[in-house]
Amino acid sequence: MSSVAASRFKATSGRVHLFNLSPATGSQSTQKRLGRGRSSGLGKTSGRGHKGQKARAGNGKPKAGFEGGQTPIVKLFPKRGFVNQNAKVFAPVNLDRIQHWIDQGRLTSSPEKPITAKELLASGCVHNVHDGIKLLGSGSEYLKTPIHITPSRASRSAIRAVEKAGGSVFCQYYNDLALKDCVKGRTDRTDAAPTRKTDIVSQVTRETLAVWYTSWQNRGYLSPTALSKMPLAHDRWRELSKQLLAFKTQEYEKAK
């Protein structure tokens, strides 16, 4: 390339145009050309040596964690305890913290626009929504404002304190995608319905069963009482409530 052409494609300190754009100095290096003769220094085996574990052709590289035959480090350390892969981590929110945020004007609520994970995260009341929001009753003596909130879970003491102050609590189920849509404010997708048995029916004792999102005792949003009181209840939730509570009226044939 001539000096005239080289100067044409060299970056200048003047106005930037498409014809004078060029990579930064030293940002590009010459490509390593493999298998181009022994005189190149990278010929024949292309710098990978002869046959063996790391040869160019053959069985490939060993799996991750292989340490050449010695005992891997993951086997040297003992394992203790149990990790539940299906466990959910909820972000706790106390009532005194919500009251403090309301006093600062950072949170507002109404029956038609309750507090959700989106408002709590945007206001800084929580720093991570994790798998959902759980409302706790700590600091209930400081709650003076009627609040309307829709968490994933709520303790019994928190429910009593909020309703005593004139507010409302409705626990709504969120899977990963529904929770992300809630935080982002998306309403174009249908929220997922609870499918796990622990979200619908959880065994308390051997004789009784306590339902979660279909129970008014837990203020589940799919309970018939909650659907009659929620201003934002959808027809789909009413149909889900009928389907999930159908087991209470179903009769089964007894074995002879």
Side-chain angles (χ1 to χ4, degrees), residues 65-101:
F66 181 70
E67 299 181 11
Q70 71 177 5
T71 305
I73 193 171
V74 296
K75 290 187 176 182
L76 291 177
F77 287 91
K79 279 71 177 175
R80 296 287 186 270
F82 171 74
V83 178
N84 186 4
Q85 299 297 331
N86 296 321
K88 288 190 175 183
V89 178
F90 294 99
V93 178
N94 293 317
L95 294 177
D96 55 351
R97 187 176 181 86
I98 292 181
Q99 182 62 55
H100 182 60
W101 251 243

Side-chain angles (χ1 to χ4, degrees), residues 122-193:
S123 63
C125 192
V126 296
H127 302 294
N128 195 335
V129 295
H130 296 292
D131 295 322
I133 302 295
K134 183 169 184 179
L135 185 66
L136 302 178
S138 178
S140 58
E141 63 274 11
Y142 299 102
L143 183 65
K144 308 301 179 183
T145 306
I147 63 172
H148 305 274
I149 187 169
T150 309
S152 297
R153 297 286 178 96
S155 65
R156 302 287 175 83
S157 59
I159 294 174
R160 288 194 298 266
V162 171
E163 293 182 348
K164 183 179 179 181
S168 62
V169 179
F170 297 105
C171 297
Q172 184 174 346
Y173 170 78
Y174 294 98
N175 64 347
D176 294 340
L177 183 59
L179 185 61
K180 185 182 296 184
D181 289 345
C182 177
V183 172
K184 297 293 183 180
R186 291 190 58 172
T187 57
D188 57 329
R189 288 192 284 211
T190 304
D191 293 341

